[in-house]
């Protein structure tokens, strides 16, 4: 039986060992890559969805590179997986083509104004990550019509895109309110926008944030977005079911962007924050902990993601907020401690 002094020494030694940072203990073993992670590494690039053109969410620039909230989520995942020089292959998809492209493996993930619904997750074999943007469906009309609220659209023709939740929402809204609307359905958002502008429809219905982007490109004051919101549209990146490691990677990369904003970690101060005494910051940036290796990634997976695109708040401001032509308020997309719904579990 050890003496009291020896037992105290043993107890103290164990306590000190538990307090040591992971670097002072044996490093966790790197998790084996699952099928998607292995495939992305073998290709040397991430295959990601692209939008035909939705200001703020995804539009091609003069070089054909996608710019917007959704492309930056893809860039963050690519950097987390492949490092600072990550490459992405963009595949432009219509609303109808998104699900088959993901199911078939044509793309590794979809981040393209994609609404999380029960049927898409349960019946289509997809898994949705955290909500990247909380939205709702609205209507735009020409100011000259004198329409000020959606109830005045009873009997109107309304342009809508096929294969989107907007098509079903419009039918549900009309049925619930006993309105006789006349949907005019088109294959792509671009065709729908052109039809509305040419006068083929009295109104155009789409997620309200995307309508704001659309109206920002038109002559000022000629079109009005009605105040009515008729649905919930949680816009969310999605992956195929059956690869839990890849689901973890996509989900936690987005969480890392949200945590970075909450912790004050930005694209500009990232390197100086490596010396932060804050344990949450140190785990986020891979200074301590084996959270990257647990997913088959480098310890600096989140560092690389933030370095590539900034934190969630920076991405929002750049493409949707005050620094963009859309000028959208954060609203529900503010952090949880600023009145919004953006909330990330801790990395620990």
């Amino acid at each position: 039986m050890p003496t009291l002094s020896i037992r105290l020494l043993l107890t103290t030694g164990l306590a000190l060992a538990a307090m040591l940072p992971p670097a002072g203990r044996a490093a966790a073993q790197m998790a084996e890559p699952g099928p998607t992670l292995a495939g992305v590494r073998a290709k040397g690039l991430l295959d990601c969805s692209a939008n035909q053109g939705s200001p703020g969410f995804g539009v091609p620039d003069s070089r054909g590179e996608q710019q917007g909230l959704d492309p930056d989520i893809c860039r963050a995942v690519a950097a987390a997986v492949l490092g600072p020089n990550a490459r992405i292959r963009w595949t432009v998809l219509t609303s109808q083509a998104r699900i088959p492209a993901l199911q078939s493996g044509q793309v590794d993930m979809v981040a393209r104004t994609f609404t999380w619904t029960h049927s898409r997750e349960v019946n289509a074999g997809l898994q949705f990550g955290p909500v990247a943007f909380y939205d709702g469906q609205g209507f735009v009309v020409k100011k000259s019509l004198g329409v000020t609220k959606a109830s005045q659209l009873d009997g109107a023709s309304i342009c809508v895109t096929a294969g989107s939740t907007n098509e079903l929402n419009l039918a549900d809204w009309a049925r619930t309110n006993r309105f006789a609307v006349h949907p005019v359905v088109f294959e792509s958002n671009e065709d729908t926008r052109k039809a509305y502008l040419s006068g083929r429809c009295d109104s155009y219905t789409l997620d309200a944030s995307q309508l704001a982007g659309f109206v920002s490109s038109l002559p000022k004051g000629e079109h009005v977005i009605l105040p009515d919101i008729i649905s919930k549209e949680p816009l969310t990146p999605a992956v195929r079911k059956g690869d839990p490691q890849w689901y973890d990677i996509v989900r936690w990369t987005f969480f890392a962007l949200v945590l970075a904003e909450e912790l004050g970690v930005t694209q500009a101060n990232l390197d100086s924050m490596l010396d932060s005494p804050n344990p949450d910051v140190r785990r986020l940036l891979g200074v301590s902990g084996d959270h990257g290796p647990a997913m088959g990634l480098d310890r600096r997976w989140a560092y690389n993601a933030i370095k590539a695109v900034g934190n969630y708040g920076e991405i929002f401001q750049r493409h949707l907020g005050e620094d963009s032509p859309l000028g959208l308020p954060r609203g529900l997309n503010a952090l949880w401690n600023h009145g919004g719904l953006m909330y990330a579990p801790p990395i620990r």
Side-chain angles (χ1 to χ4, degrees):
M1 177 73 67
T3 65
L4 177 60
S5 58
I6 293 175
R7 289 202 303 271
L8 286 172
L9 285 172
L10 287 172
T11 303
T12 304
L14 289 171
L16 288 172
M19 293 171 63
L20 285 173
R25 302 195 299 267
Q29 185 175 359
M30 178 77 73
E32 289 295 321
T36 310
L37 178 57
V40 169
R41 284 178 172 161
K43 294 180 296 186
L45 57 83
L46 177 72
D47 276 303
C48 197
S49 62
N51 207 309
Q52 293 173 300
S54 181
F57 289 91
V59 291
D61 62 17
S62 59
R63 301 170 300 162
E65 283 290 314
Q66 288 279 318
Q67 304 297 336
L69 174 73
D70 291 330
D72 275 358
I73 293 173
C74 285
R75 289 188 177 93
V77 172
V81 172
L82 298 171
N85 299 314
R87 293 189 299 135
I88 298 176
R89 180 161 55 201
W90 306 103
T91 300
V92 176
L93 299 171
T94 64
S95 296
Q96 288 183 307
R98 292 174 296 190
I99 293 175
L102 187 54
Q103 290 170 326
S104 67
Q106 182 183 4
V107 294
D108 302 308
M109 61 178 290
V110 167
R112 185 207 170 281
T113 55
F114 202 16
T115 299
W116 183 2
T117 69
H118 179 275
S119 59
R120 285 173 174 174
E121 183 159 277
V122 174
N123 301 333
L126 309 184
Q127 276 189 299
F128 288 82
V131 176
F133 190 90
Y134 291 91
D135 211 344
Q137 185 173 334
F139 300 91
V140 65
V141 296
K142 292 179 180 177
K143 189 175 182 180
S144 59
L145 287 181
V147 172
T148 58
K149 54 186 178 181
S151 60
Q152 294 173 284
L153 295 175
D154 188 9
S157 58
I158 300 178
C159 285
V160 65
T161 303
S164 65
T165 54
N166 303 134
E167 187 178 10
L168 177 60
N169 292 337
L170 178 62
D172 286 349
W173 172 76
R175 187 179 298 111
T176 299
N177 292 282
R178 298 182 180 179
F179 292 154
V181 298
H182 306 288
V184 185
V185 184
F186 298 89
E187 175 71 19
S188 69
N189 282 339
E190 183 61 27
D191 290 339
T192 312
R193 286 190 287 264
K194 288 178 179 178
Y196 165 73
L197 291 173
S198 69
R200 291 187 61 182
C201 318
D202 300 310
S203 177
Y204 173 26
T205 187
L206 187 66
D207 295 351
S209 60
Q210 295 176 65
L211 286 178
F214 170 58
V215 170
S216 72
S217 66
L218 303 177
K220 191 172 182 179
E222 292 186 8
H223 300 264
V224 177
I225 298 174
L226 302 181
D228 308 79
I229 298 295
I230 67 169
S231 72
K232 294 184 293 185
E233 302 297 322
L235 306 182
T236 313
V239 299
R240 289 180 295 281
K241 275 185 180 175
D243 190 341
Q245 180 191 61
W246 186 246
Y247 179 55
D248 285 343
I249 289 170
V250 171
R251 190 167 52 134
W252 280 97
T253 298
F254 182 78
F255 283 146
L257 303 179
V258 175
L259 283 170
E261 181 183 8
E262 181 181 335
L263 295 169
V265 178
T266 69
Q267 197 173 30
N269 72 12
L270 187 62
D271 288 317
S272 65
M273 294 295 276
L274 291 169
D275 295 324
S276 171
N278 186 330
D280 288 327
V281 172
R282 295 174 70 81
R283 286 189 293 264
L284 173 68
L285 301 183
V287 177
S288 65
D290 291 307
H291 303 284
M295 300 187 292
L297 304 180
D298 186 89
R299 283 184 178 80
R300 288 202 172 187
W301 61 281
Y303 171 97
N304 289 332
I306 300 161
K307 191 76 169 178
V309 297
N311 65 41
Y312 179 80
E314 291 178 287
I315 297 168
F316 188 100
Q317 286 299 107
R318 185 162 61 240
H319 300 300
L320 302 168
E322 297 172 358
D323 297 338
S324 77
L326 275 68
L328 296 179
R330 286 289 292 267
L332 295 178
N333 298 291
L335 292 179
W336 64 277
N337 52 4
H338 287 80
L341 297 179
M342 281 296 161
Y343 186 102
I347 295 177
R348 68 169 72 116

